């Protein structure tokens, strides 16, 4: 997948959303793709220092928590670190942060802050664009 570019929009903030976003981002990066994630609205929870440690499961799906543990699936905290180590670009939406009264220091280290224009600049020549 060298020279492949993957653009991901993370707009939802549940545990399943986080696994989708970081699993695809990490697999892409491990395959030498250039990966960028734009976090907006509830998606900001996925990179929030506190919130990403306790993301909600969909109602009625609580049994998955034990399944994740039994299958030795990494935590979201671990997946965020792995994605960062692999060079995944993470952009927090400036407008959403302003609306929600959030500051950059409330997010994991290494997150860039930018508007939709900065993500569009990254995504304009992406081979894949995914939304979760």
């Amino acid at each position: 997948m060298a020279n492949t570019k993957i653009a991901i929009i993370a707009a939802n903030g549940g545990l399943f959303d986080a696994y989708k976003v970081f699993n695809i981002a990490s697999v892409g990066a491990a395959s030498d793709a250039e990966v960028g994630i734009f976090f907006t609205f509830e998606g900001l929870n996925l990179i929030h220092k506190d919130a990403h440690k306790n993301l909600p499961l969909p109602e009625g799906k609580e049994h998955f928590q034990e399944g994740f543990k039994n299958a030795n699936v990494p935590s979201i905290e671990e997946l965020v670190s792995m994605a960062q180590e692999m060079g995944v670009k993470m952009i927090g939406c400036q407008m959403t942060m302003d609306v929600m009264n959030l500051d950059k220091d409330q997010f994991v280290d290494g997150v860039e802050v930018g508007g939709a224009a900065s993500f569009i600049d990254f995504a304009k020549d992406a081979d894949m664009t995914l939304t979760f």
Side-chain angles (χ1 to χ4, degrees):
M1 287 183 71
N3 300 325
T4 300
K5 195 172 198 182
I6 302 170
I8 301 170
I9 299 170
N12 295 296
L15 188 65
F16 285 3
D17 304 300
Y19 277 118
K20 292 176 220 174
V21 167
F22 289 113
N23 192 23
I24 290 182
S26 298
V27 169
S31 301
D32 292 328
E34 182 181 1
V35 182
I37 309 170
F38 185 67
F39 297 90
T40 187
F41 293 100
E42 288 86 9
L44 286 170
N45 287 337
L46 308 186
I47 53 170
H48 189 277
K49 284 181 181 175
D50 297 323
H52 82 285
K53 297 175 187 173
N54 291 305
L55 296 171
L57 280 162
E59 193 170 321
K61 304 291 183 186
E62 294 79 11
H63 61 282
F64 275 85
Q65 196 65 49
E66 187 155 330
F68 286 132
K69 190 181 299 180
N70 292 341
N72 293 317
V73 175
S75 70
I76 299 307
E77 205 169 3
E78 292 170 309
L79 290 175
V80 169
S81 292
M82 288 173 19
Q84 288 174 314
E85 288 170 15
M86 290 190 272
V88 172
K89 179 183 187 110
M90 298 185 198
I91 304 169
C93 177
Q94 180 70 63
M95 182 200 72
T96 306
M97 290 170 62
D98 291 347
V99 168
M100 299 172 84
N101 200 26
L102 297 168
D103 295 314
K104 184 178 180 182
D105 62 358
Q106 293 175 280
F107 296 96
V108 296
D109 293 337
V111 170
E112 299 174 28
V113 175
S118 61
F119 181 70
I120 288 171
D121 188 52
F122 174 84
K124 70 180 180 283
D125 57 354
D127 299 289
M128 287 178 255
T129 304
L130 308 165
T131 304
F132 297 103

